[in-house]
Amino acid sequence: MSISFEGQIPFYQYMDEQSEVVNTLPEWALIDETLVRYYQQMVIARQFDNKAIALQRTGQLGTYASSAGCEAIDVVTASLMKKEDVLVPYYRNHAMQMVRGMKLSEVLLYWGGDERGNSSPAQGEDFPNCVPIATQCLHACGVASAIKIRDQQRATVSMLGDGATSKGDFMEALNVAGVWQLPVVFIINNNQWAISVPRALQSIAPTLAQKALGAGIRGEQVDGNDVIALHQSVEQALIRAREGKGPTLIEAVSYRLSDHTTADDATRYRHPDALKTGWDKEPIKRLRDYLHAQGWWNESNETQWLQHTTTLIQEAVDQYLETSPQPASAMFDYLYAELPLQLKKQREIAIARSDKGVS
């Protein structure tokens, strides 16, 4: 089989940092429905993020990875996926999981250390969070292989950060996706930081999307703060995957507006001017200003939506905090189909200590 690809990396943007239109808009973006929905979902994601960080700071949640700055990438991608598509996320994709149907309280359960937050009924065939870097890319190829073998019109979406593109797992996944022409879409959230390592020290290539060239697959770069550009790129990539036209690599350029996680202190390695520039480009304000300019959103809408969002999130927090913890045996019960003898003994000890009230 001969695969033809020109080897060019296009960059897509429709709305610049000043919320000005810089390209001919697609028809769907000429009416308010989709754009307002994207905005509403992004606001929920940002407010949830703020609440989760507050819970962690007060000892009510474990270490948490903020999604601030990548809300547009998550919300648009999840919104365009069909129910039968498969999401293979990494640890910063809680906004996608919310849009895909997970309860906010379930997302909190995961970050609170309860594995029930990793097995929501709403996840369907979506994978749980992947913390090891880039391994999820190969998992996505496995899923996509099954889809292709079964001749199904479905797509697999693998999410990753820019740091993951420096891992061998990522390159291996691109290679097999290209050779087997798998129905998978790789989306890089290029937020400019792999923990404390800046993008410039990760790769000298002008774009991360160029890494698709060696695998012979389509690569493109998009403004990750522009919901219109994201919609266009992701939608077409998903359609290609479902129609059996092979994989796509999308590099969505954004900026991490937070610490890497709540265990990190980005002030030790990031200049405040760079963070300020990131906030100037961020996706929520950009879309809000555009909606205001079109007369599709106003201060009254904003107030009402923030009130709704606050209530929604607080209800989720209350549900999370009121959830009874699992028994001590739970840490052993989902590891193996048949628990090894050594772990059986440890399980018995854990149950006995728990019964005596010993932590």
Side-chain angles (χ1 to χ4, degrees):
M1 179 175 60
S2 176
I3 304 300
S4 176
F5 183 67
E6 295 180 358
Q8 298 177 345
I9 302 298
F11 174 77
Y12 297 110
Q13 183 188 59
Y14 287 84
M15 187 194 310
D16 67 14
E17 300 163 23
Q18 288 74 44
S19 304
E20 297 292 335
V21 174
V22 294
N23 211 333
T24 303
L25 293 177
E27 288 188 13
W28 67 266
L30 298 176
I31 56 177
D32 64 344
E33 181 181 0
T34 301
L35 291 175
V36 168
R37 186 174 70 251
Y38 284 162
Y39 178 73
Q40 291 172 327
Q41 293 292 336
M42 287 196 293
V43 169
I44 292 175
R46 178 70 59 84
Q47 296 303 314
F48 175 85
D49 201 69
N50 292 338
K51 188 65 175 180
I53 292 172
L55 289 170
Q56 191 279 330
R57 298 305 191 207
T58 54
Q60 300 176 91
L61 200 69
T63 299
Y64 174 78
S66 171
S67 63
C70 68
E71 294 93 348
I73 300 169
D74 275 28
V75 166
V76 171
T77 302
S79 298
L80 291 170
M81 291 177 68
K82 294 182 178 180
K83 184 178 181 181
E84 59 268 25
D85 293 334
V86 180
L87 170 63
V88 185
Y90 75 122
Y91 50 81
R92 212 179 295 276
N93 294 132
H94 10 288
M96 292 191 76
Q97 293 169 328
M98 297 175 203
V99 174
R100 297 274 289 166
M102 278 187 68
K103 296 178 182 178
L104 301 183
S105 58
E106 293 172 331
V107 177
L108 290 172
L109 275 176
Y110 169 78
W111 292 101
D114 192 321
E115 281 297 322
R116 286 174 292 184
N118 236 347
S119 58
S120 166
Q123 285 177 275
E125 293 187 316
D126 288 354
F127 274 41
N129 292 323
C130 185
V131 176
I133 306 302
T135 55
Q136 75 275 15
C137 301
L138 284 167
H139 301 162
C141 288
V143 174
S145 297
I147 289 173
K148 183 168 184 176
I149 290 169
R150 295 168 183 169
D151 196 27
Q152 298 171 331
Q153 290 191 322
R154 306 166 68 190
T156 305
V157 175
S158 176
M159 306 297 295
L160 60 147
D162 45 287
T165 67
S166 299
K167 296 292 294 295
D169 308 71
F170 169 72
M171 299 304 296
E172 292 165 11
L174 290 191
N175 192 63
V176 72
V179 171
W180 291 349
Q181 285 293 283
L182 297 177
V184 58
V185 180
F186 301 98
I187 300 181
I188 305 168
N189 170 18
N190 179 6
N191 65 21
Q192 313 303 319
W193 292 97
I195 308 183
S196 59
V197 181
R199 159 69 174 86
L201 296 181
Q202 294 180 59
S203 173
I204 200 170
T207 74
L208 296 178
Q210 285 173 271
K211 299 195 176 192
L213 301 181
I217 69 176
R218 180 180 179 84
E220 56 191 53
Q221 192 182 57
V222 61
D223 185 340
N225 295 318
D226 175 359
V227 295
I228 302 175
L230 282 164
H231 181 113
Q232 291 297 99
S233 288
V234 173
E235 183 177 51
Q236 290 305 308
L238 289 170
I239 290 172
R240 283 194 296 271
R242 296 185 195 115
E243 292 181 349
K245 296 180 180 178
T248 303
L249 172 65
I250 298 174
E251 175 190 356
V253 181
S254 67
Y255 194 83
R256 197 186 77 205
L257 299 175
S258 63
D259 297 330
H260 173 66
T261 69
T262 51
D264 176 42
D265 178 8
T267 62
R268 298 175 61 186
Y269 55 81
R270 182 172 61 188
H271 196 283
D273 288 347
L275 181 59
K276 181 182 182 302
T277 299
W279 278 104
D280 290 340
K281 298 178 180 181
E282 69 105 351
I284 295 180
K285 180 180 182 299
R286 186 184 302 196
L287 182 53
R288 181 175 64 242
D289 289 349
Y290 179 76
L291 294 176
H292 273 275
Q294 302 305 309
W296 295 341
W297 195 256
N298 55 44
E299 292 303 325
S300 177
N301 298 137
E302 184 77 7
T303 299
Q304 291 177 26
W305 189 250
L306 286 175
Q307 289 174 346
H308 166 75
T309 300
T310 299
T311 300
L312 183 73
I313 293 172
Q314 189 57 52
E315 288 175 350
V317 170
D318 292 342
Q319 187 174 352
Y320 157 67
L321 294 175
E322 292 167 4
T323 301
S324 299
Q326 295 191 87
S329 59
M331 71 178 82
F332 302 95
D333 292 341
Y334 309 103
L335 296 176
Y336 297 91
E338 181 65 32
L339 202 62
L341 180 60
Q342 185 178 7
L343 289 184
K344 284 182 179 179
K345 293 178 180 179
Q346 291 183 28
R347 183 178 185 275
E348 292 168 1
I349 293 171
I351 292 173
R353 289 173 64 88
S354 177
D355 290 343
K356 293 178 181 179
V358 180
S359 59

